[in-house]
Amino acid sequence: MMDRWERIDEVIGRMEQALLVTLLSALILVAFSQIILRNFFSTGIAWGDALVRCLVLWTGFIGATIAAREGKHICIDVFSQWLSPKGKKFAAIIIDVFSFLICCFLTYAALKFIHNEFQMKGIAFLGIPSWVSEIILPLTFSLMAFRYFFYFLKGVLMVNQREREK
Amino acid sequence: MILFLVIFALFLLMLLGAPLFIVISGLTLCLLFSGQIDSSAMIIEMHRMATTPILVAIPLFTFAGYLLSESGAPKRLIRLSNAILGWLPGGVSMIALLTCAVFTALTGATGLTIIAMGGILFPAMLKGKYPESFSLGLLTTSGTLGLLFPPSLPLIIYAIVAKVRIDELFLGGILPGILLILLLALFCFNKAIAVKVPRTGFNVPEVFRAVKDSIWELPLPVVVLGGIYGGYFVVSEAAAITAAYVLVVEVFIYRDIKWRDLPRLMKESMVLVGGILIILGAALGLTNYLIDAELPMRTLDFLKAHIASPFLFLIMLNFFLLAVGCIMGMFPALTVVVPLITPVAQAYGIHPVHLGIIFLANLEIGASIPPLGINLFISSIRFNKPILSLYFASLPFIGILLIGLAIITYLPWLSLAFLK
């Protein structure tokens, strides 16, 4: 059961990375060509700036989900160095389940935001509705919720296994 | 009562190592819920922040910084400054100071400098007969030196959070940054004479060779700074040029970075950006709520009742920010504390740009202060030394930086000289 989850997490991780590389390359390319066009040809892509902002939003938030996968979110780690290995595992389980809950609330809030944007019928650029470019927000939070839940389960199962072995 | 329990629980979770954006989001959601405000208000803030035009600069500069730190640029930079400054008494230590400052300004990410430069500078200083403890202290505290110089990431983030004009903030940081470096350089000069560090001669052909070696990277600061100050392009455009230029130079010309390394570097840099962005978003939601609840104004009323002079206020601010920089770290402190303090400080008549420079100088020094300053931990891992020895090694440097901090704080002219 866990193996399958592990594989799903890995596949999603690889997709995220591929998407991230594509979007960041596009970001550099579009932002740079805008400058060239503006300064040397005194023109520019009309929707270029909006696209660049959208790309920043996407690369940033995809980076945040990968940070959740790799445990690289910024945190203040004061106590953990004085905890025993067992205490550390216990703390990790609590933190994961708490992070899972908060990410669920954030997903809910982001979905409500998207719902409102959908009703406002705003346009981001090139006829693309705003809510499409903003969909990355609920996507990010739900994916992080999934990850924290998965790490929580993994932590609990590992502790259980250890107890049984004893 | 329940709210206090929640805050206490969140505080405990934060100290246990919960991701900061989770803690901040949790607090914000609680406050919004108890105030019966729709939770999507927080997402609106997050989205508004993430699509600010100036924010474009952050992923681009960060990626360029990761490329530079992974390439041979640190080595070439050190070689060049060694050729130019190596003959001075204390030359190697001054090179360490200067190159660390330039590098931190360009990469903006604290910690990267210690990791990228430390590996070359630490052996070089030991070889130059500097005492080990002195070398460790210097490299640890220099890790954040340079944050006051454009286009460093914390300067950009401060400008976004405090709504200060970024070009003015860039100008404001120059003199205070130079002051801190000069003070440390003076200390190095004294130390080098005291312990009789051997000197090397000035070698003209080596200068030419070193310049030729780094000829492609030398235009970078000129293009970035000249472009911004000359009014040729705005900061986000400078970031785009830097990213594209560094990419071409390091991958095609120097070939320090292989194609297959690019995806990994992109991922690593964007993980940092994502981590900062999400805290920034969550913190803006929180601080907006607190400002609506008039927390800064109530703090101000309380402070005004007890502290009359701006002078006393600044002393308090210094102690507070040093502690915050030491405990919370640069980015969380910038995002959470700045919006709450700026209205209070303005009421005391402190110029927004001067306040920004005070903030960054405090946080920069706080990052090296025991027991929790992040630089100490990074150095401990990088140089494989016990954390306690780094505490002692960095103390004299912190003392000198604090003198500099006092001058920066009580001499607003330093920060504002270029503005008018």
Side-chain angles (χ1 to χ4, degrees), chain A residues 25 28 35 38 52-53 57 60 63 70 73-76 78-79 95 98 102 105 109 112-113 134 141 144, chain B residues 10 13-16 18 20-22 26 29 38-39 44 46-47 50-51 56 63 237 266-267 270 274 278:
Chain A
S25 311
I28 297 170
I35 300 165
R38 196 168 299 152
V52 163
R53 283 206 293 279
L57 179 74
E70 302 187 346
H73 269 296
I74 299 174
C75 58
I76 300 169
V78 185
F79 278 175
I95 287 169
F98 171 65
I102 297 294
F105 282 123
K112 259 209 286 200
F113 169 70
E134 290 151 0
F141 292 131
M144 284 201 277
Chain B
L10 284 171
L13 279 164
M14 179 176 82
L15 293 183
L16 275 176
L20 220 58
F21 88 92
I22 293 283
L29 285 169
D38 197 295
S39 56
I44 295 173
M46 209 176 254
H47 175 260
T51 47
V56 176
F63 177 57
E237 289 177 323
M266 285 184 167
K267 188 196 77 183
M270 288 311 111
I278 206 158

Side-chain angles (χ1 to χ4, degrees), chain B residues 64 140 253 410:
Chain B
T140 305
I253 297 177
Y410 304 111

Side-chain angles (χ1 to χ4, degrees), chain B residues 49-74:
Chain B
M49 184 278 312
T51 47
T52 322
I54 180 74
L55 202 84
V56 176
I58 293 181
L60 292 170
F61 273 132
T62 309
F63 177 57
Y66 268 76
L67 280 176
L68 281 173
S69 68
E70 191 91 352
S71 72

Side-chain angles (χ1 to χ4, degrees), chain B residues 216-230:
Chain B
W216 287 100
E217 278 144 354
L218 283 177
L220 199 57
V222 182
V223 170
V224 172
L225 301 185
I228 295 171
Y229 293 138

Side-chain angles (χ1 to χ4, degrees), chain A residues 17 20-21 24-25 27-28 31-32 35 38-39 52-54 56-57 59-61 63-64 66-67 70 72-81 83 91 94-95 98-100 102-103 105-106 108-110 112-113 116-117 133-134 137 140-141 144 148, chain B residues 10 12-23 25-26 29 38-40 42-44 46-47 50-53 55-56 59-60 63 232 237 240-241 243-244 247 263-264 266-267 269-271 273-279 327-328 331-332 372 377:
Chain A
Q17 194 171 337
L20 183 73
V21 169
L24 182 59
S25 311
L27 171 62
I28 297 170
F32 186 67
I35 300 165
R38 196 168 299 152
N39 287 306
V52 163
R53 283 206 293 279
C54 175
V56 171
L57 179 74
T59 45
F61 276 83
I66 299 180
E70 302 187 346
K72 283 199 181 140
H73 269 296
I74 299 174
C75 58
I76 300 169
D77 208 355
V78 185
F79 278 175
S80 74
Q81 42 191 331
L83 288 176
I94 292 181
I95 287 169
F98 171 65
S99 306
F100 163 70
I102 297 294
C103 283
F105 282 123
L106 286 172
Y108 171 71
K112 259 209 286 200
F113 169 70
N116 291 341
E117 291 283 295
S133 77
E134 290 151 0
L137 291 163
T140 305
F141 292 131
M144 284 201 277
Y148 285 122
Chain B
L10 284 171
L12 271 183
L13 279 164
M14 179 176 82
L15 293 183
L16 275 176
L20 220 58
F21 88 92
I22 293 283
V23 176
S25 303
L29 285 169
D38 197 295
S39 56
S40 63
M42 186 185 165
I43 305 293
I44 295 173
M46 209 176 254
H47 175 260
T51 47
T52 322
L55 202 84
V56 176
L60 292 170
F63 177 57
Y232 296 105
E237 289 177 323
I241 292 172
L247 189 66
R264 178 180 56 85
M266 285 184 167
K267 188 196 77 183
S269 55
M270 288 311 111
V271 162
V273 170
I276 294 174
L277 209 69
I278 206 158
I279 288 192
I327 296 167
M328 285 181 94
F331 296 118
L372 292 173
F377 291 94

Side-chain angles (χ1 to χ4, degrees), chain A:
Chain A
M1 214 299 263
M2 282 324 261
D3 283 352
R4 191 184 299 161
W5 280 49
E6 193 99 45
R7 223 172 306 143
I8 294 175
D9 189 34
E10 211 182 295
V11 170
I12 296 175
R14 228 174 284 151
M15 275 161 49
E16 279 170 335
Q17 194 171 337
L19 193 60
L20 183 73
V21 169
T22 319
L23 294 176
L24 182 59
S25 311
L27 171 62
I28 297 170
L29 201 71
V30 176
F32 186 67
S33 41
Q34 279 286 73
I35 300 165
I36 300 292
L37 287 175
R38 196 168 299 152
N39 287 306
F40 293 104
F41 303 97
S42 5
T43 130
I45 314 167
W47 41 271
D49 289 347
L51 174 64
V52 163
R53 283 206 293 279
C54 175
L55 286 170
V56 171
L57 179 74
W58 279 65
T59 45
F61 276 83
I62 294 174
T65 61
I66 299 180
R69 182 176 145 78
E70 302 187 346
K72 283 199 181 140
H73 269 296
I74 299 174
C75 58
I76 300 169
D77 208 355
V78 185
F79 278 175
S80 74
Q81 42 191 331
W82 294 307
L83 288 176
S84 65
K86 206 172 171 187
K88 254 182 210 169
K89 270 187 200 113
F90 188 63
I93 289 173
I94 292 181
I95 287 169
D96 283 339
V97 73
F98 171 65
S99 306
F100 163 70
L101 285 175
I102 297 294
C103 283
C104 284
F105 282 123
L106 286 172
T107 311
Y108 171 71
L111 282 175
K112 259 209 286 200
F113 169 70
I114 294 292
H115 182 74
N116 291 341
E117 291 283 295
F118 183 74
Q119 286 177 333
M120 304 256 268
K121 294 193 169 58
I123 298 292
F125 54 91
L126 276 186
I128 298 172
S130 312
W131 68 269
V132 174
S133 77
E134 290 151 0
I135 199 84
I136 187 68
L137 291 163
L139 269 181
T140 305
F141 292 131
S142 52
L143 206 58
M144 284 201 277
F146 161 76
R147 281 199 170 133
Y148 285 122
F149 185 66
F150 173 51
Y151 300 143
F152 159 67
L153 269 187
K154 226 160 95 175
V156 171
L157 286 178
M158 257 159 68
V159 169
N160 264 346
Q161 212 170 20
R162 191 94 20 105
E163 302 269 282
R164 236 177 285 148
E165 273 166 15
K166 273 180 195 165

